[in-house]
Amino acid sequence: MIEVKHVNKSFEGHHVLKDISAVFESGKVNMIIGRSGSGKTVLMKSVIGLHRVDSGRIEYNGRNLPDMSVKDVRLLRREVGMLFQGAALFDSMTVFDNVYFPLEMFSGLSAYEMRERTAFCLNRVNLADESFELFPSEISGGMQKRVAIARAIALNPKYLFCDEPNSGLDPKTALIIDQLIAEITKEYDITTIINSHDMNSIMEIGDKIIFVNEGQKEWEGSKDSIFHSDNEALNNFVFASDLFKKVKKAANAYKKM
Amino acid sequence: MGIIKETGTYFLLMQRVFVLPDKWRIFFRQFSKELEKLGLLSLPIVIIISVFIGAIMTMQTKLNTENPILPTYTTGLVTRDTLLLEFSSTIMCLILAGKVGSNIASEIGTMRITEQIDALEIIGVNAANYLILPKITAFVVMMPFLVIYSIVVGLVGGYCIGLFTDIISVSDYLVGIQYAFIPYYVFYTIFKSLFFAHIIASVAAYYGYYAYGGALDVGRASTSAVVNSSILILFFNLLITSLMLN
């Protein structure tokens, strides 16, 4: 579990995160949603420690990240997996080596065990053995995301962060990636935090949703309660398209019945 | 960024670079790759430039020292000392700042903007140490060999002028390049080239590591790396020369 308490962050006088508090539970897909520029990426990067917060606490099972030494942060990060928006695969390494690398660095397993674990992770994300020796530039965006998920879970992380996991993917591939993240979260009891503005993804796998607007936590709830919220900013964001306006109308009509 | 802040950031980065690697096996693997990429692959340009400059220097020197008062070995001696003292270390390093410096800055800069460096940090790797230390050490190790190659090939270029033209005789040239040889000059030129190698690799890595934005910004970082490392090479050349040759 990750608890964020009264976090503030500014960049050159611009107050980006304003007193944000939230709880991200383990075994659940926690989603941070909001408009572009609302501060959700800064929030996620602050939670991981890529940005140092100005004030507030970020507790990983009680351990406060801002108080940790550089060494402790590095140790904590071995419990963290991250799926970046652009996959961020190491382009000088093959698909196999991308997943093998964190194991080689920190696992302490034998070469045979590391190869087995790498193959297991790649197979877990439904990548065939034939793709193992390809380079990231030789595979599709969806496959890159799957390799990135395999790399993220290689060291059995307790925490999984996903920054816009569906960006640039077609709807079907996006759904596959979403389901894969949700399955892995439940299977390994991981605390998963996803940063997204993809409504399909939010409605598909979001167990807990936190809406960030202009640097503040505006709303928090489940994907079911999102349809019945009175929060204007949330409604403007979630039901911006005609399709979702109709879905909301239908959901409310169903509730009244 | 102000120059003081930039210098401070550079030294803070170096503090993260110069620590023991997480895994020596991985370090040596990266190190051997960099030996090839930064060192061996620089050899062709070093050879081509040195052989032509050696030849041209011999021709120019001979044509400008056509004076019966001057001994016949003058051309060989001037060519040798110019190659040894300045060309093969300083000028060659300025050229390599363009080739190697831009390569390092653009490689690390691209890794930065595509979040590969963040991915390394998230895994728990000291990205600065993992990416930069093998480059600096490999380039520093390879530099003396590049300098020695440059001197030898430059002298061969001058020899070719004696061999294939009637500008200078081969015997005068050979006497000249052996006359009043001071071995300390070899130590001096290798010493300063090691210093320059460190400047080229570390300054380029610094600009790449702190690149942000898009492809244009990586290009800008690459240009800044080449310009600033060239200026630093010239400055430290003056400093080292005044300390070691005075």
Side-chain angles (χ1 to χ4, degrees):
Chain A
M1 185 171 73
I2 300 172
E3 278 184 85
V4 173
K5 296 176 180 172
H6 306 291
V7 161
N8 284 282
K9 174 72 187 167
S10 299
F11 290 103
E12 293 168 358
H14 179 53
H15 204 169
V16 181
L17 299 182
K18 298 165 189 165
D19 197 38
I20 289 191
S21 297
V23 178
F24 301 104
E25 293 164 39
S26 63
K28 284 188 178 176
V29 176
N30 302 273
M31 303 200 84
I32 304 171
I33 64 169
R35 285 202 177 89
S36 300
S38 59
K40 58 186 191 302
T41 301
V42 176
L43 175 60
M44 178 177 266
K45 289 196 170 177
S46 300
V47 173
I48 308 165
L50 289 175
H51 291 322
R52 201 167 178 78
V53 294
D54 300 337
S55 64
R57 294 176 69 81
I58 297 161
E59 294 180 359
Y60 282 74
N61 289 331
R63 296 170 291 172
N64 187 27
L65 179 69
D67 291 342
M68 286 183 194
S69 64
V70 175
K71 195 182 166 191
D72 287 340
V73 171
R74 286 181 62 203
L75 288 173
L76 173 73
R77 284 192 176 148
R78 290 175 200 174
E79 299 173 9
V80 170
M82 180 152 184
L83 173 59
F84 286 88
Q85 194 171 347
L89 298 179
F90 307 125
D91 47 22
S92 59
M93 297 182 194
T94 61
V95 162
F96 189 88
D97 289 342
N98 261 280
V99 182
Y100 189 82
F101 176 73
L103 294 167
E104 191 182 19
M105 218 45 176
F106 300 118
S107 71
L109 299 172
S110 69
Y112 174 77
E113 287 168 326
M114 287 191 287
R115 280 197 299 274
E116 287 287 298
R117 174 76 186 154
T118 304
F120 169 80
C121 292
L122 286 166
N123 290 329
R124 179 66 192 80
V125 296
N126 306 321
L127 280 167
D129 293 8
E130 298 81 61
S131 60
F132 288 5
E133 292 311 311
L134 297 173
F135 282 89
S137 58
E138 297 170 324
I139 58 177
S140 68
M143 281 172 83
Q144 286 183 10
K145 290 280 167 75
R146 281 192 265 172
V147 178
I149 295 172
R151 184 178 66 185
I153 62 169
L155 286 170
N156 277 324
K158 290 181 184 163
Y159 314 97
L160 179 65
F161 294 87
C162 308
D163 187 16
E164 307 274 4
N166 295 332
S167 74
L169 300 181
D170 64 86
K172 192 165 166 74
T173 311
L175 191 65
I176 293 167
I177 297 294
D178 281 342
Q179 284 166 349
L180 198 54
I181 293 169
E183 281 168 27
I184 287 166
T185 301
K186 308 278 187 276
E187 206 172 309
Y188 302 110
D189 195 32
I190 298 172
T191 304
T192 297
I193 303 178
I194 300 179
N195 180 358
S196 181
H197 48 220
D198 178 356
M199 281 314 297
N200 291 329
S201 180
I202 294 162
M203 301 318 291
E204 184 71 28
I205 58 166
D207 294 321
K208 182 174 183 178
I209 297 157
I210 289 163
F211 175 57
V212 177
N213 187 37
E214 293 177 359
Q216 285 176 311
K217 188 178 85 176
E218 189 88 30
W219 182 87
E220 183 178 337
S222 67
K223 63 183 173 190
D224 298 322
S225 58
I226 213 165
F227 286 106
H228 315 297
S229 168
D230 297 329
N231 188 298
E232 200 183 327
L234 177 72
N235 286 335
N236 285 340
F237 169 74
V238 175
F239 306 108
S241 73
D242 280 346
L243 175 66
F244 275 96
K245 276 176 192 157
K246 283 174 190 165
V247 171
K248 185 178 186 183
K249 228 180 235 177
N252 284 334
Y254 181 77
K255 196 185 172 191
K256 280 174 194 165
M257 275 166 63
Chain B
M1 255 202 284
I3 190 163
I4 296 171
K5 191 179 174 190
E6 221 168 298
T7 310
T9 316
Y10 168 83
F11 281 109
L12 285 173
L13 177 67
M14 289 304 116
Q15 203 180 358
R16 293 188 58 210
V17 169
F18 288 100
V19 292
L20 292 178
D22 288 313
K23 278 272 160 73
W24 282 104
R25 193 180 64 237
I26 294 175
F27 169 77
F28 283 117
R29 192 173 63 205
Q30 294 297 105
F31 175 75
S32 57
K33 277 184 194 167
E34 299 299 343
L35 282 179
E36 186 195 354
K37 198 168 68 182
L38 304 180
L40 288 180
L41 293 180
S42 297
L43 213 50
I45 192 167
V46 168
I47 290 173
I48 290 167
I49 293 172
S50 300
V51 76
F52 278 98
I53 292 292
I56 293 160
M57 207 181 291
T58 304
M59 287 167 70
Q60 297 267 24
T61 310
K62 181 66 185 169
L63 295 172
N64 287 287
T65 53
E66 288 285 4
N67 190 324
I69 299 169
L70 293 169
T72 52
Y73 58 73
T74 305
T75 304
L77 186 144
V78 170
T79 303
R80 181 200 70 202
D81 280 354
T82 312
L83 284 168
L84 192 57
L85 292 172
E86 276 310 305
F87 177 78
S88 293
S89 50
T90 312
I91 306 299
M92 194 48 72
C93 279
L94 287 172
I95 294 162
L96 290 175
K99 184 194 176 288
V100 174
S102 62
N103 177 302
I104 292 174
S106 56
E107 182 187 323
I108 296 179
T110 305
M111 288 188 77
R112 165 64 72 193
I113 64 160
T114 54
E115 297 181 309
Q116 291 177 55
I117 290 179
D118 287 342
L120 282 170
E121 293 284 348
I122 291 295
I123 291 170
V125 176
N126 175 351
N129 173 268
Y130 171 75
L131 292 173
I132 302 173
L133 188 63
K135 291 185 193 301
I136 295 178
T137 46
F139 197 46
V140 167
V141 166
M142 284 306 284
M143 187 50 93
F145 297 103
L146 294 174
V147 169
I148 290 165
Y149 255 97
S150 169
I151 296 167
V152 172
V153 171
L155 291 174
V156 170
Y159 179 80
C160 290
I161 294 299
L163 202 62
F164 299 117
T165 70
D166 54 2
I167 294 172
I168 184 173
S169 75
V170 169
S171 57
D172 285 348
Y173 180 76
L174 288 178
V175 169
I177 63 170
Q178 293 171 75
Y179 186 79
F181 175 65
I182 301 169
Y184 175 73
Y185 285 176
V186 178
F187 169 74
Y188 156 78
T189 204
I190 287 177
F191 177 82
K192 69 177 184 176
S193 73
L194 293 175
F195 210 83
F196 298 157
H198 180 269
I199 289 173
I200 293 168
S202 65
V203 169
Y206 163 77
Y207 279 101
Y209 198 82
Y210 289 108
Y212 64 93
L216 274 178
D217 301 285
V218 173
R220 232 170 264 142
S222 184
T223 306
S224 300
V226 174
V227 170
N228 289 309
S229 54
S230 299
I231 292 168
L232 284 171
I233 286 169
L234 293 171
F235 173 75
F236 280 102
N237 185 35
L238 187 68
L239 192 72
I240 293 169
T241 304
S242 63
L243 287 173
M244 291 184 74
L245 289 189
N246 275 345

